[in-house]
Coordinates of all heavy atoms in Angstrom, one line a residue:
M1 N 69.2 101.4 43.4 CA 68.7 100.0 43.4 C 67.9 99.8 44.7 O 68.4 100.1 45.8 CB 69.8 99.1 43.3 CG 69.4 97.6 43.4 SD 70.7 96.5 43.7 CE 70.9 95.7 42.3
M2 N 66.7 99.3 44.6 CA 65.9 99.0 45.8 C 66.2 97.6 46.3 O 66.3 96.7 45.6 CB 64.4 99.1 45.5 CG 63.6 98.9 46.8 SD 61.9 99.1 46.8 CE 61.2 99.1 45.3
Q3 N 66.4 97.5 47.7 CA 66.7 96.2 48.3 C 65.5 95.9 49.1 O 64.8 96.7 49.7 CB 67.9 96.3 49.2 CG 69.2 96.5 48.4 CD 70.4 96.5 49.3 OE1 70.3 96.5 50.5 NE2 71.6 96.5 48.7
T4 N 65.2 94.6 49.1 CA 64.1 94.1 50.0 C 64.6 93.1 51.0 O 65.7 92.5 50.8 CB 63.0 93.4 49.1 OG1 63.6 92.3 48.5 CG2 62.4 94.3 48.1
N5 N 63.9 93.0 52.1 CA 64.3 92.1 53.1 C 63.8 90.7 52.8 O 62.6 90.4 53.0 CB 63.8 92.6 54.5 CG 64.3 91.7 55.6 OD1 64.9 90.7 55.4 ND2 64.0 92.1 56.9
Q6 N 64.6 89.8 52.4 CA 64.2 88.5 52.0 C 64.0 87.6 53.2 O 63.4 86.5 53.1 CB 65.2 87.8 51.0 CG 65.4 88.6 49.7 CD 64.1 88.6 48.9 OE1 63.4 87.6 48.9 NE2 63.9 89.7 48.2
D7 N 64.5 88.0 54.4 CA 64.4 87.1 55.6 C 63.1 87.3 56.3 O 62.9 86.6 57.3 CB 65.6 87.4 56.5 CG 66.9 87.0 55.9 OD1 66.9 86.0 55.1 OD2 67.9 87.6 56.2
Y8 N 62.3 88.2 55.9 CA 61.1 88.5 56.7 C 60.1 87.4 56.5 O 59.8 87.0 55.4 CB 60.4 89.8 56.2 CG 59.3 90.2 57.1 CD1 59.4 90.7 58.4 CD2 58.0 90.0 56.6 CE1 58.3 91.0 59.1 CE2 56.9 90.3 57.4 CZ 57.1 90.8 58.6 OH 56.0 91.1 59.4
R9 N 59.6 86.9 57.6 CA 58.6 85.8 57.6 C 57.5 86.1 58.6 O 57.7 86.7 59.6 CB 59.3 84.5 58.0 CG 60.3 84.0 57.0 CD 60.8 82.7 57.5 NE 62.0 82.4 56.7 CZ 63.2 82.3 57.2 NH1 63.4 82.3 58.5 NH2 64.2 82.1 56.4
S10 N 56.3 85.5 58.3 CA 55.2 85.6 59.3 C 54.6 84.2 59.3 O 54.6 83.5 58.4 CB 54.2 86.6 58.9 OG 53.1 86.1 58.3
I11 N 54.2 83.9 60.5 CA 53.5 82.6 60.8 C 52.1 82.9 61.4 O 52.0 83.5 62.4 CB 54.3 81.7 61.7 CG1 55.7 81.3 61.1 CG2 53.5 80.4 62.0 CD1 56.6 80.6 62.1
D12 N 51.1 82.5 60.6 CA 49.7 82.7 61.1 C 49.0 81.4 61.1 O 49.0 80.7 60.0 CB 49.0 83.7 60.1 CG 49.7 85.0 60.0 OD1 50.1 85.5 61.0 OD2 49.8 85.5 58.8
M13 N 48.5 81.0 62.2 CA 47.8 79.7 62.3 C 46.4 80.0 62.9 O 46.3 80.6 64.0 CB 48.6 78.7 63.2 CG 49.9 78.3 62.6 SD 50.7 77.1 63.5 CE 51.3 78.0 64.9
A14 N 45.4 79.4 62.3 CA 44.0 79.6 62.8 C 43.3 78.3 62.8 O 43.3 77.6 61.8 CB 43.3 80.6 62.0
T15 N 42.7 77.9 63.9 CA 41.9 76.7 64.0 C 40.6 77.0 64.6 O 40.5 77.7 65.7 CB 42.6 75.7 64.9 OG1 44.0 75.5 64.4 CG2 41.9 74.4 65.0
Q16 N 39.5 76.5 64.0 CA 38.2 76.7 64.5 C 37.5 75.4 64.6 O 37.4 74.7 63.5 CB 37.4 77.7 63.7 CG 37.9 79.1 63.7 CD 37.1 80.0 62.8 OE1 36.9 79.7 61.7 NE2 36.6 81.1 63.4
I17 N 36.9 75.0 65.7 CA 36.2 73.8 65.9 C 34.8 74.2 66.5 O 34.8 74.8 67.6 CB 36.9 72.8 66.8 CG1 38.3 72.4 66.2 CG2 36.1 71.5 67.0 CD1 39.2 71.7 67.1
G18 N 33.7 73.9 65.8 CA 32.4 74.3 66.3 C 31.6 75.0 65.2 O 32.1 75.1 64.1
I19 N 30.5 75.6 65.6 CA 29.6 76.2 64.7 C 29.5 77.7 65.0 O 29.6 78.1 66.2 CB 28.2 75.6 64.5 CG1 27.5 75.6 65.9 CG2 28.3 74.2 64.0 CD1 26.1 75.2 65.8
G20 N 29.4 78.6 64.0 CA 29.1 80.0 64.2 C 30.3 80.8 64.8 O 30.2 81.9 65.3
N21 N 31.5 80.2 64.7 CA 32.7 80.9 65.1 C 33.2 82.0 64.1 O 33.1 81.7 62.9 CB 33.9 80.0 65.4 CG 33.6 79.1 66.6 OD1 33.1 79.6 67.6 ND2 33.9 77.9 66.5
K22 N 33.7 83.1 64.6 CA 34.2 84.2 63.7 C 35.6 84.6 64.1 O 35.8 84.7 65.3 CB 33.2 85.4 63.7 CG 31.9 85.1 63.2 CD 31.0 86.3 63.4 CE 29.5 86.0 63.0 NZ 28.6 87.1 63.2
M23 N 36.4 84.9 63.1 CA 37.8 85.3 63.4 C 38.2 86.3 62.3 O 38.0 86.1 61.2 CB 38.7 84.1 63.3 CG 40.0 84.2 63.9 SD 41.0 82.7 63.7 CE 40.2 81.6 64.9
N24 N 38.7 87.5 62.8 CA 39.1 88.5 61.9 C 40.4 89.0 62.3 O 40.6 89.5 63.4 CB 38.1 89.6 61.8 CG 38.4 90.7 60.8 OD1 39.2 90.4 59.9 ND2 37.7 91.8 60.8
V25 N 41.5 88.9 61.4 CA 42.8 89.3 61.8 C 43.3 90.3 60.7 O 43.3 90.0 59.5 CB 43.8 88.1 61.8 CG1 45.2 88.6 62.1 CG2 43.4 87.1 62.8
I26 N 43.6 91.5 61.1 CA 44.2 92.5 60.3 C 45.5 92.9 61.0 O 45.5 93.5 62.1 CB 43.3 93.7 60.1 CG1 42.0 93.3 59.5 CG2 44.0 94.8 59.3 CD1 40.9 94.4 59.5
D27 N 46.7 92.7 60.3 CA 48.0 92.9 60.9 C 48.9 93.6 60.0 O 49.3 93.1 59.0 CB 48.5 91.5 61.3 CG 49.6 91.6 62.4 OD1 50.1 92.8 62.6 OD2 49.9 90.6 63.0
K28 N 49.3 94.9 60.4 CA 50.2 95.7 59.6 C 51.6 95.1 59.6 O 52.3 95.1 58.6 CB 50.2 97.1 60.1 CG 51.2 98.0 59.3 CD 51.1 99.4 59.9 CE 52.2 100.3 59.2 NZ 52.2 101.6 59.9
T29 N 52.0 94.5 60.7 CA 53.3 94.0 60.9 C 53.3 92.6 61.4 O 53.5 92.3 62.6 CB 54.1 94.9 61.9 OG1 53.9 96.2 61.5 CG2 55.6 94.6 61.8
P30 N 52.9 91.6 60.6 CA 52.7 90.3 61.1 C 54.1 89.6 61.5 O 55.1 89.9 60.9 CB 52.1 89.5 59.9 CG 52.5 90.3 58.7 CD 52.7 91.7 59.1
G31 N 54.0 88.9 62.5 CA 55.1 88.1 63.0 C 54.7 86.7 63.2 O 54.7 85.8 62.3
Y32 N 54.1 86.4 64.4 CA 53.6 85.1 64.8 C 52.3 85.3 65.5 O 52.2 86.0 66.5 CB 54.6 84.4 65.7 CG 54.0 83.1 66.2 CD1 54.1 81.9 65.4 CD2 53.5 83.0 67.4 CE1 53.6 80.7 65.9 CE2 52.9 81.8 67.9 CZ 53.0 80.7 67.2 OH 52.5 79.5 67.6
I33 N 51.3 84.6 65.0 CA 50.0 84.6 65.7 C 49.4 83.3 65.6 O 49.3 82.7 64.5 CB 49.0 85.8 65.3 CG1 47.8 85.8 66.2 CG2 48.7 85.6 63.8 CD1 47.0 87.1 66.1
E34 N 48.9 82.7 66.7 CA 48.2 81.4 66.7 C 46.9 81.6 67.4 O 46.8 82.0 68.5 CB 49.1 80.4 67.4 CG 48.4 79.0 67.5 CD 49.3 78.0 68.2 OE1 50.5 78.2 68.3 OE2 48.7 77.0 68.7
L35 N 45.8 81.4 66.7 CA 44.4 81.5 67.2 C 43.7 80.2 67.1 O 43.7 79.5 66.1 CB 43.7 82.5 66.3 CG 44.2 84.0 66.3 CD1 43.5 84.8 65.2 CD2 44.1 84.6 67.6
T36 N 43.1 79.8 68.3 CA 42.4 78.6 68.3 C 41.0 78.9 69.0 O 41.0 79.5 70.0 CB 43.1 77.5 69.1 OG1 44.4 77.3 68.6 CG2 42.3 76.2 69.1
Q37 N 39.9 78.4 68.3 CA 38.6 78.5 68.9 C 38.0 77.1 69.0 O 38.0 76.4 67.9 CB 37.7 79.4 68.1 CG 38.1 80.9 68.1 CD 37.2 81.7 67.2 OE1 36.7 81.2 66.2 NE2 36.9 82.9 67.6
S38 N 37.5 76.7 70.1 CA 36.9 75.5 70.3 C 35.6 75.7 71.1 O 35.6 76.1 72.2 CB 37.8 74.5 71.0 OG 37.2 73.2 71.2
G39 N 34.5 75.5 70.4 CA 33.2 75.8 71.0 C 32.3 76.4 69.9 O 32.6 76.3 68.8
N40 N 31.3 77.0 70.3 CA 30.3 77.6 69.4 C 30.1 79.1 69.6 O 30.1 79.6 70.8 CB 28.9 76.9 69.5 CG 29.1 75.4 69.2 OD1 29.7 75.0 68.3 ND2 28.4 74.6 70.1
Y41 N 29.9 79.8 68.5 CA 29.6 81.2 68.5 C 30.6 82.1 69.3 O 30.3 83.0 70.0 CB 28.2 81.4 69.1 CG 27.2 80.7 68.3 CD1 26.6 79.5 68.8 CD2 26.8 81.0 67.0 CE1 25.7 78.7 68.1 CE2 25.9 80.2 66.3 CZ 25.4 79.1 66.8 OH 24.5 78.4 66.1
N42 N 31.9 81.8 69.1 CA 33.0 82.6 69.6 C 33.4 83.6 68.5 O 33.3 83.3 67.4 CB 34.2 81.7 70.0 CG 33.9 80.8 71.1 OD1 33.5 81.3 72.2 ND2 34.0 79.5 70.9
T43 N 33.9 84.8 69.0 CA 34.4 85.8 68.1 C 35.7 86.3 68.6 O 35.9 86.7 69.7 CB 33.4 87.0 68.0 OG1 32.1 86.5 67.5 CG2 33.9 88.1 67.1
V44 N 36.7 86.4 67.7 CA 38.0 86.9 67.9 C 38.3 88.0 66.9 O 38.3 87.7 65.7 CB 39.1 85.9 68.0 CG1 40.5 86.6 68.1 CG2 38.9 84.9 69.1
L45 N 38.5 89.2 67.3 CA 38.9 90.3 66.4 C 40.3 90.7 66.8 O 40.5 91.1 68.0 CB 38.0 91.5 66.6 CG 36.5 91.2 66.3 CD1 35.6 92.4 66.6 CD2 36.2 90.7 64.9
F46 N 41.3 90.7 65.9 CA 42.6 91.1 66.2 C 43.1 92.1 65.2 O 43.2 91.7 64.0 CB 43.6 89.8 66.2 CG 45.0 90.2 66.6 CD1 45.4 90.0 67.9 CD2 45.9 90.6 65.7 CE1 46.7 90.3 68.3 CE2 47.2 90.9 66.1 CZ 47.6 90.8 67.4
V47 N 43.4 93.3 65.6 CA 43.8 94.3 64.7 C 45.1 94.9 65.2 O 45.2 95.4 66.3 CB 42.7 95.4 64.5 CG1 43.2 96.5 63.6 CG2 41.4 94.9 64.0
N48 N 46.2 94.9 64.4 CA 47.4 95.5 64.8 C 47.8 96.5 63.7 O 48.4 96.2 62.7 CB 48.5 94.4 64.9 CG 49.9 95.0 65.3 OD1 49.9 96.1 65.8 ND2 51.0 94.4 65.0
P49 N 47.5 97.8 64.0 CA 47.9 98.9 63.1 C 49.3 99.4 63.4 O 49.8 100.3 62.7 CB 46.8 100.0 63.4 CG 46.5 99.8 64.8 CD 46.7 98.3 65.1
N50 N 50.0 98.9 64.4 CA 51.3 99.4 64.8 C 52.4 98.8 64.0 O 52.3 97.8 63.3 CB 51.5 99.0 66.3 CG 50.4 99.6 67.2 OD1 49.8 100.6 66.9 ND2 50.2 99.0 68.3
N51 N 53.6 99.4 64.2 CA 54.8 98.9 63.5 C 55.5 97.8 64.3 O 56.5 97.2 63.9 CB 55.8 100.0 63.2 CG 55.3 100.9 62.1 OD1 54.7 100.4 61.2 ND2 55.5 102.2 62.3
Y52 N 55.0 97.5 65.5 CA 55.6 96.4 66.4 C 55.1 95.1 65.9 O 53.8 94.9 65.9 CB 55.3 96.7 67.9 CG 56.2 96.0 68.8 CD1 57.4 96.6 69.3 CD2 55.9 94.7 69.2 CE1 58.2 95.9 70.1 CE2 56.8 94.0 70.0 CZ 57.9 94.6 70.5 OH 58.8 93.9 71.3
P53 N 55.9 94.1 65.6 CA 55.5 92.8 65.1 C 54.6 92.1 66.2 O 54.9 92.1 67.4 CB 56.7 92.0 64.9 CG 57.8 93.0 64.9 CD 57.4 94.2 65.7
T54 N 53.6 91.4 65.7 CA 52.7 90.6 66.5 C 53.5 89.3 66.9 O 54.2 88.7 66.1 CB 51.5 90.2 65.7 OG1 50.8 91.4 65.3 CG2 50.6 89.3 66.5
N55 N 53.3 88.9 68.2 CA 53.8 87.7 68.7 C 52.8 87.2 69.8 O 53.0 87.6 71.0 CB 55.2 87.8 69.3 CG 55.8 86.5 69.9 OD1 55.2 85.5 69.6 ND2 56.8 86.6 70.6
A56 N 51.8 86.4 69.4 CA 50.7 86.1 70.4 C 50.2 84.7 70.1 O 50.2 84.3 69.0 CB 49.6 87.2 70.3
Q57 N 49.7 84.2 71.2 CA 49.0 82.9 71.1 C 47.7 83.0 71.9 O 47.7 83.4 73.0 CB 49.8 81.8 71.7 CG 49.2 80.4 71.7 CD 50.0 79.3 72.3 OE1 51.0 79.6 73.1 NE2 49.7 78.1 72.1
I58 N 46.5 82.8 71.2 CA 45.2 83.0 71.8 C 44.4 81.7 71.7 O 44.2 81.2 70.6 CB 44.5 84.1 71.1 CG1 45.3 85.4 71.2 CG2 43.1 84.3 71.7 CD1 44.9 86.5 70.3
N59 N 43.9 81.2 72.8 CA 43.1 80.0 72.8 C 41.8 80.3 73.5 O 41.8 80.8 74.6 CB 43.8 78.8 73.6 CG 45.2 78.5 73.0 OD1 45.2 78.1 71.8 ND2 46.2 78.6 73.8
V60 N 40.7 80.0 72.8 CA 39.4 80.2 73.4 C 38.6 78.9 73.4 O 38.4 78.3 72.3 CB 38.6 81.2 72.5 CG1 37.2 81.5 73.1 CG2 39.3 82.6 72.4
N61 N 38.3 78.4 74.6 CA 37.5 77.2 74.8 C 36.2 77.5 75.5 O 36.3 78.1 76.6 CB 38.3 76.2 75.6 CG 39.6 75.7 74.9 OD1 39.5 75.2 73.8 ND2 40.7 76.0 75.5
G62 N 35.1 77.2 74.9 CA 33.8 77.5 75.4 C 32.9 78.1 74.4 O 33.2 78.0 73.2
S63 N 31.8 78.6 74.7 CA 30.8 79.2 73.8 C 30.4 80.6 74.1 O 30.4 80.9 75.3 CB 29.6 78.2 73.7 OG 30.0 77.0 73.2
G64 N 30.1 81.4 73.1 CA 29.6 82.7 73.3 C 30.7 83.7 73.8 O 30.3 84.7 74.3
N65 N 32.0 83.4 73.6 CA 33.0 84.3 74.0 C 33.3 85.4 73.0 O 33.2 85.1 71.7 CB 34.3 83.5 74.3 CG 34.1 82.6 75.5 OD1 33.7 83.1 76.6 ND2 34.2 81.3 75.3
Y66 N 33.7 86.6 73.4 CA 34.1 87.7 72.5 C 35.4 88.3 72.9 O 35.5 88.7 74.1 CB 33.0 88.7 72.5 CG 33.1 89.9 71.6 CD1 32.6 89.8 70.3 CD2 33.9 91.0 71.9 CE1 32.8 90.8 69.4 CE2 34.0 92.1 71.1 CZ 33.5 92.0 69.8 OH 33.7 93.0 68.9
L67 N 36.4 88.3 72.0 CA 37.7 88.8 72.4 C 38.1 89.8 71.3 O 38.1 89.5 70.1 CB 38.7 87.7 72.4 CG 40.2 88.0 72.7 CD1 40.3 88.6 74.1 CD2 41.0 86.7 72.7
D68 N 38.4 91.0 71.7 CA 38.7 92.1 70.8 C 40.1 92.7 71.2 O 40.2 93.3 72.3 CB 37.6 93.2 70.9 CG 37.8 94.4 69.9 OD1 39.0 94.6 69.4 OD2 36.9 95.1 69.7
I69 N 41.1 92.5 70.4 CA 42.5 92.9 70.7 C 42.9 93.9 69.6 O 42.8 93.6 68.4 CB 43.5 91.8 70.8 CG1 43.0 90.8 71.8 CG2 44.9 92.3 71.0 CD1 43.8 89.5 71.8
T70 N 43.4 95.1 70.0 CA 43.9 96.1 69.1 C 45.3 96.4 69.5 O 45.6 96.8 70.6 CB 43.0 97.4 69.1 OG1 41.7 97.0 68.8 CG2 43.6 98.4 68.2
G71 N 46.3 96.3 68.5 CA 47.6 96.7 68.7 C 48.6 95.7 69.3 O 48.1 94.6 69.7
S72 N 49.8 96.0 69.1 CA 50.9 95.1 69.6 C 52.1 96.0 70.1 O 52.4 97.0 69.4 CB 51.3 94.1 68.5 OG 52.3 93.2 69.0
N73 N 52.7 95.6 71.2 CA 53.8 96.4 71.7 C 54.7 95.5 72.5 O 54.5 94.3 72.6 CB 53.3 97.6 72.5 CG 52.4 97.3 73.7 OD1 52.5 96.2 74.2 ND2 51.6 98.2 74.1
S74 N 55.7 96.1 73.1 CA 56.7 95.3 73.9 C 56.0 94.6 75.1 O 56.5 93.5 75.5 CB 57.8 96.2 74.4 OG 57.4 97.2 75.2
I75 N 55.0 95.2 75.7 CA 54.3 94.5 76.8 C 53.5 93.3 76.3 O 53.5 92.3 77.0 CB 53.3 95.5 77.5 CG1 54.2 96.7 78.1 CG2 52.5 94.8 78.5 CD1 53.3 97.8 78.6
S76 N 52.9 93.3 75.1 CA 52.1 92.2 74.7 C 53.0 91.2 73.9 O 52.5 90.2 73.4 CB 51.0 92.7 73.8 OG 51.5 93.3 72.6
D77 N 54.3 91.5 73.7 CA 55.2 90.6 73.0 C 55.2 89.2 73.7 O 55.6 89.1 74.9 CB 56.6 91.2 72.9 CG 57.5 90.4 72.0 OD1 57.0 89.6 71.2 OD2 58.7 90.7 72.0
G78 N 54.9 88.1 73.0 CA 54.9 86.8 73.6 C 53.7 86.5 74.5 O 53.6 85.5 75.2
M79 N 52.6 87.3 74.4 CA 51.5 87.1 75.2 C 50.7 85.8 74.8 O 50.7 85.4 73.7 CB 50.5 88.3 75.1 CG 49.2 88.1 74.5 SD 48.2 89.6 74.5 CE 47.8 89.6 72.8
K80 N 50.2 85.2 75.9 CA 49.4 84.0 75.7 C 48.1 84.2 76.5 O 48.1 84.5 77.6 CB 50.1 82.8 76.3 CG 51.3 82.4 75.5 CD 52.0 81.1 76.0 CE 53.2 80.8 75.3 NZ 53.9 79.6 75.8
I81 N 47.0 84.1 75.8 CA 45.7 84.2 76.4 C 44.9 82.9 76.3 O 44.8 82.3 75.2 CB 44.8 85.3 75.7 CG1 45.5 86.7 75.8 CG2 43.4 85.4 76.2 CD1 44.8 87.8 75.0
N82 N 44.5 82.4 77.4 CA 43.7 81.2 77.5 C 42.4 81.5 78.1 O 42.4 81.8 79.3 CB 44.5 80.1 78.3 CG 45.7 79.6 77.6 OD1 45.7 79.2 76.4 ND2 46.8 79.7 78.3
I83 N 41.3 81.3 77.4 CA 40.0 81.5 77.9 C 39.3 80.2 78.0 O 39.2 79.5 77.0 CB 39.2 82.5 77.0 CG1 39.8 83.9 77.0 CG2 37.7 82.6 77.5 CD1 39.2 84.8 76.0
N84 N 38.9 79.8 79.1 CA 38.2 78.5 79.4 C 36.9 78.9 80.1 O 36.8 78.7 81.3 CB 39.0 77.5 80.2 CG 40.2 77.1 79.5 OD1 40.2 76.5 78.4 ND2 41.4 77.4 80.0
A85 N 35.9 79.4 79.3 CA 34.7 79.9 79.9 C 33.6 80.0 78.9 O 33.9 79.8 77.7 CB 34.9 81.3 80.6
N86 N 32.4 80.4 79.3 CA 31.3 80.7 78.4 C 30.9 82.2 78.6 O 31.0 82.7 79.7 CB 30.1 79.8 78.6 CG 30.4 78.4 78.3 OD1 31.1 78.1 77.3 ND2 30.0 77.5 79.2
D87 N 30.5 82.8 77.5 CA 29.9 84.2 77.6 C 30.8 85.2 78.2 O 30.4 86.0 79.1 CB 28.6 84.1 78.3 CG 27.6 83.2 77.6 OD1 27.5 83.2 76.3 OD2 27.0 82.3 78.3
T88 N 32.1 85.2 77.9 CA 33.1 86.1 78.4 C 33.5 87.1 77.3 O 33.6 86.8 76.2 CB 34.4 85.3 78.8 OG1 34.0 84.4 79.8 CG2 35.4 86.3 79.4
T89 N 33.6 88.4 77.7 CA 34.0 89.5 76.8 C 35.3 90.1 77.3 O 35.4 90.5 78.5 CB 32.9 90.6 76.7 OG1 31.7 89.9 76.3 CG2 33.3 91.7 75.8
I90 N 36.3 90.2 76.4 CA 37.5 90.8 76.8 C 37.9 91.9 75.7 O 37.9 91.6 74.5 CB 38.7 89.8 76.9 CG1 38.4 88.9 78.1 CG2 40.0 90.5 77.1 CD1 39.4 87.7 78.2
F91 N 38.2 93.1 76.1 CA 38.7 94.1 75.3 C 40.2 94.4 75.7 O 40.4 94.7 76.9 CB 37.9 95.4 75.4 CG 36.5 95.3 74.8 CD1 35.4 95.0 75.7 CD2 36.3 95.4 73.4 CE1 34.2 94.9 75.2 CE2 35.0 95.3 72.9 CZ 33.9 95.0 73.8
M92 N 41.1 94.4 74.8 CA 42.5 94.6 75.1 C 43.1 95.7 74.1 O 42.9 95.5 72.9 CB 43.3 93.4 75.0 CG 44.8 93.6 75.4 SD 45.8 92.1 75.2 CE 45.1 91.1 76.6
R93 N 43.7 96.7 74.6 CA 44.3 97.8 73.8 C 45.8 97.9 74.1 O 46.1 98.1 75.3 CB 43.6 99.1 74.0 CG 42.1 99.1 73.7 CD 41.8 98.8 72.2 NE 40.4 98.8 71.9 CZ 39.7 97.7 71.6 NH1 40.3 96.5 71.7 NH2 38.5 97.7 71.3
N94 N 46.6 97.8 73.1 CA 48.1 97.9 73.2 C 48.5 99.0 72.3 O 48.7 98.8 71.1 CB 48.7 96.6 72.8 CG 48.3 95.4 73.6 OD1 48.4 95.4 74.8 ND2 47.7 94.4 73.0
Y95 N 48.8 100.2 72.9 CA 49.2 101.3 72.1 C 50.6 101.7 72.4 O 51.1 101.4 73.4 CB 48.3 102.5 72.2 CG 46.9 102.3 71.8 CD1 45.9 102.2 72.8 CD2 46.6 102.1 70.5 CE1 44.6 101.9 72.4 CE2 45.3 101.8 70.1 CZ 44.3 101.8 71.0 OH 43.0 101.5 70.6

């Protein structure tokens, strides 16, 4: 008999205010992720191919920002990123 984990939950919240904003989330092990974009032409790419659950809060305020995050691990557990700028690029890798 196969048993499944009925207690597993994920919370994903996404808010976009402005024009031309893009958000792409691919998460193999979803846990909690909160993404907020306020401004114009911001891009957030979040890819977690790892078995470590996601636990992150990302806030982008401004225009023309680009944020590319790959992976989740014990170091990024509970991470909070607040960007209050224009035309900023951030690449983050968590392996």
Side-chain angles (χ1 to χ4, degrees):
M1 177 199 251
M2 182 176 13
Q3 293 182 350
T4 59
N5 183 354
Q6 299 294 327
D7 293 330
Y8 185 75
R9 294 183 193 118
S10 99
I11 299 172
D12 304 316
M13 294 184 286
T15 305
Q16 293 180 307
I17 301 169
I19 59 171
N21 290 317
K22 297 177 186 175
M23 195 178 290
N24 188 13
V25 177
I26 301 170
D27 200 347
K28 178 181 175 185
T29 315
Y32 173 84
I33 187 164
E34 181 179 338
L35 300 170
T36 304
Q37 291 178 327
S38 179
N40 300 315
Y41 304 105
N42 293 303
T43 300
V44 174
L45 306 175
F46 185 94
V47 178
N48 181 20
N50 303 334
N51 289 325
Y52 199 91
T54 299
N55 180 14
Q57 181 181 15
I58 301 164
N59 300 302
V60 179
N61 296 303
S63 295
N65 295 301
Y66 184 90
L67 180 58
D68 182 343
I69 300 173
T70 300
S72 185
N73 58 26
S74 61
I75 295 171
S76 65
D77 189 14
M79 113 178 129
K80 294 181 182 180
I81 297 175
N82 293 304
I83 299 173
N84 295 302
N86 294 319
D87 303 314
T88 299
T89 300
I90 296 176
F91 292 99
M92 181 182 292
R93 301 295 180 253
N94 300 302
Y95 298 111

